Amino acid sequence: MIRKAAIISIKGTSLSSLEMRLLKKEKPWGVILFKRNIISFEQTKVLTKKIRRCLNDPFYPIIIDEEGGKVSRLSEIFSTSEFSQHFFGKLYEKNKSKGKLIYKYYLETICNILIDLGININTIPVMDLLQKSTHQIIKERSYSNKYDTIRSLGNFCISFLKDKKIASVAKHAPGHGCANADSHLKLPIVFKKSSKLFREDFKLFNNINSNFLMTAHILYKKIDSKNLATFSSHIINKIIRKKLNFKGIIISDDISMKALNKNLCSNAEMALNAGCNLVLYCEGDIKESRKLLKNLRFIDNFTQKKTYKFYKFLR
């Protein structure tokens, strides 16, 4: 399988001729869709079919970030603005069985819509622990400040998506809830002791059975004082891979975020060198996408094997 180690995005609601050419020539691993790409059911179905036609691949990975609440890409065709993960966390803590049942109905609706649209990966669940220090960017996206609630609903979400043939991307590993800054705008720096991080934030990702995992653009000063998690081989290989025992594909968070201060190609190279299997680029700028893909390596053997396993899962 010849694929570049990147997930890219597109600018509008249809593929431009330049974007089609880029997909055919450079073959990124996948494409992620945003609100700017989705205005109706029929339009989105046409778009996903055209993307797959460019790659001549009926199982080509098409991703969406549909968390509900403030992070809803489907809002033009189906509003989920009331249904944040925190909303379901509160329901679950009031009544576990009824809360999980309502969450199941919600997930089933979302999965059926994604299947109809031709989308096979959703970047949920958010496994971050809600804390006093948690920045506003994460608060409503976290299930709870309780470990058991997050693990129970997170694992349920992953399993339910698998049953519906939608792959999950758990995030933001190894934990974004401890950060008091928004990584879209600047680098969050966490001074929490490593023992406390393992006891509170990191353990939420322990043995998680998600198909994919997304990294956090956070500098954990007490663990790696020089490299943020996405660029830290120690965090990715020693913590996420070994201590937390993650076996799937690791995707970087968006490499165009301001928490990362290099250019796209440098950010991509540093993430892949650290142990990320794929990098994510969300801005949809065709010139930047072309430059990134032309300079990017192909996926490694590990990612190839896991991608074949993902395709088998979709059948």
Side-chain angles (χ1 to χ4, degrees):
M1 177 180 288
I2 301 170
R3 293 282 190 272
K4 291 289 183 75
I7 296 164
I8 66 162
S9 56
I10 60 172
K11 206 66 182 174
T13 55
S14 61
L15 280 178
S16 69
S17 57
L18 288 176
E19 286 168 338
M20 283 192 276
R21 203 174 306 148
L22 184 69
L23 290 175
K24 288 176 183 177
K25 185 178 180 182
E26 298 296 340
K27 296 179 172 57
W29 185 89
V31 169
I32 186 166
L33 300 181
F34 288 93
K35 187 176 178 179
R36 65 178 183 262
N37 309 124
I38 298 170
I39 53 172
S40 73
F41 274 100
E42 288 309 312
Q43 165 267 326
T44 309
K45 287 163 79 168
V46 168
L47 176 59
T48 57
K49 283 176 184 174
K50 282 189 176 179
I51 291 169
R52 292 199 167 101
R53 205 173 298 140
C54 284
L55 280 297
N56 192 26
D57 181 351
F59 300 108
Y60 186 70
I62 299 179
I63 302 113
I64 196 166
D65 188 6
E66 181 55 46
E67 295 175 13
K70 291 179 180 178
V71 184
S72 175
R73 315 307 186 190
L74 298 173
S75 57
E76 290 298 316
I77 58 175
F78 182 80
S79 176
T80 61
S81 60
E82 300 298 318
F83 305 117
S84 66
Q85 285 196 183
H86 194 63
F87 170 84
F88 290 109
K90 286 192 288 186
L91 278 184
Y92 177 79
E93 286 168 359
K94 285 180 183 176
N95 186 309
K96 289 185 179 180
S97 58
K98 285 184 180 177
K100 193 172 276 189
L101 184 62
I102 294 168
Y103 191 36
K104 177 187 174 183
Y105 291 148
Y106 168 79
L107 288 174
E108 186 160 28
T109 302
I110 295 300
C111 287
N112 288 340
I113 290 171
L114 296 185
I115 291 163
D116 188 47
L117 294 175
I119 295 165
N120 50 20
I121 302 174
N122 192 4
T123 63
I124 58 173
V126 176
M127 298 296 291
D128 301 323
L129 178 67
L130 184 60
Q131 300 159 59
K132 287 180 181 178
S133 63
T134 304
H135 189 272
Q136 200 64 36
I137 193 71
I138 295 293
K139 277 188 177 177
E140 284 297 309
R141 299 164 68 192
S142 169
Y143 288 116
S144 177
N145 60 357
K146 295 180 175 65
Y147 171 86
D148 289 342
T149 299
I150 299 171
R151 282 295 290 197
S152 178
L153 292 181
N155 287 335
F156 178 76
C157 174
I158 290 164
S159 296
F160 190 86
L161 263 61
K162 281 187 177 180
D163 288 343
K164 298 291 285 186
K165 301 292 184 181
I166 302 284
S168 59
V169 184
K171 58 191 184 187
H172 306 83
H176 207 302
C178 52
N180 62 3
D182 179 359
S183 55
H184 293 85
L185 304 176
K186 67 177 184 178
L187 175 63
I189 301 173
V190 171
F191 294 92
K192 208 172 182 179
K193 289 182 180 178
S194 58
S195 58
K196 202 170 184 186
L197 283 166
F198 277 100
R199 192 167 64 248
E200 295 176 355
D201 300 83
F202 294 3
K203 75 172 185 175
L204 284 159
F205 293 90
N206 191 40
N207 288 312
I208 200 160
N209 195 27
S210 179
N211 309 78
F212 305 92
L213 197 69
M214 186 179 288
T215 61
H217 293 334
I218 292 176
L219 184 68
Y220 302 96
K221 267 285 189 181
K222 303 291 184 182
I223 294 178
D224 187 332
S225 62
K226 294 180 180 178
N227 300 297
L228 60 118
T230 303
F231 293 164
S232 172
S233 60
H234 176 78
I235 289 173
I236 291 174
N237 296 309
K238 298 287 177 64
I239 295 176
I240 294 174
R241 285 293 185 201
K242 291 188 178 177
K243 289 192 177 181
L244 301 179
N245 197 34
F246 183 67
K247 304 293 186 186
I249 290 175
I250 296 176
I251 306 170
S252 78
D253 205 344
D254 181 11
I255 57 170
S256 63
M257 285 184 182
K258 289 183 170 58
L260 284 58
N261 59 12
K262 307 288 184 186
N263 61 54
L264 278 186
C265 293
S266 297
N267 288 339
E269 194 66 17
M270 289 171 75
L272 294 172
N273 285 343
C276 290
N277 305 114
L278 300 169
V279 294
L280 177 66
Y281 172 53
C282 299
E283 288 298 305
D285 184 301
I286 184 69
K287 290 181 181 178
E288 293 292 338
S289 293
R290 188 187 298 115
K291 190 190 301 181
L292 172 67
L293 290 169
K294 279 188 174 181
N295 287 282
L296 201 65
R297 68 187 77 172
F298 291 99
I299 58 173
D300 58 20
N301 289 334
F302 172 88
T303 311
Q304 279 207 26
K305 287 175 185 176
K306 291 292 179 180
T307 303
Y308 282 125
K309 191 175 179 181
F310 166 63
Y311 275 43
K312 190 176 179 181
F313 152 77
L314 292 173
R315 285 185 169 88

